[in-house]
Amino acid sequence: MPLDRSLPDDVHESAEELRTALKDHGITLPSLGVDLPGFAGVYSVSLVALGNCNADTARRLAEVLRKAASR
């Protein structure tokens, strides 16, 4: 798999797209954002940090993903 060499704006945009999509399903991941250490090196991989969530949020996310997969 090739390394993701996304530009900073691309990674921020991806994080915001995910935040919006989750919000559309009533899900909030408070720590969702860009993984800043990923920008530290020349060969870095741009990552979106999903962060932490409580068990209820994890269950809700799993439920939404299962419904989407069954379509």
Side-chain angles (χ1 to χ4, degrees):
M1 178 186 315
L3 291 178
D4 176 3
R5 302 214 187 273
S6 301
L7 298 173
D9 288 344
D10 294 338
V11 177
H12 286 282
E13 185 177 317
S14 296
E16 287 307 311
E17 287 177 15
L18 179 57
R19 183 185 318 280
T20 300
L22 290 169
K23 185 178 178 181
D24 290 345
H25 292 280
I27 299 171
T28 301
L29 296 178
S31 302
L32 178 73
V34 174
D35 181 55
L36 296 179
F39 294 112
V42 175
Y43 301 105
S44 64
V45 176
S46 300
L47 300 174
V48 174
L50 298 179
N52 299 316
C53 67
N54 61 31
D56 185 53
T57 300
R59 284 188 198 100
R60 177 76 179 116
L61 181 56
E63 176 187 335
V64 168
L65 291 171
R66 278 193 298 273
K67 284 182 182 179
S70 67
R71 290 184 182 174

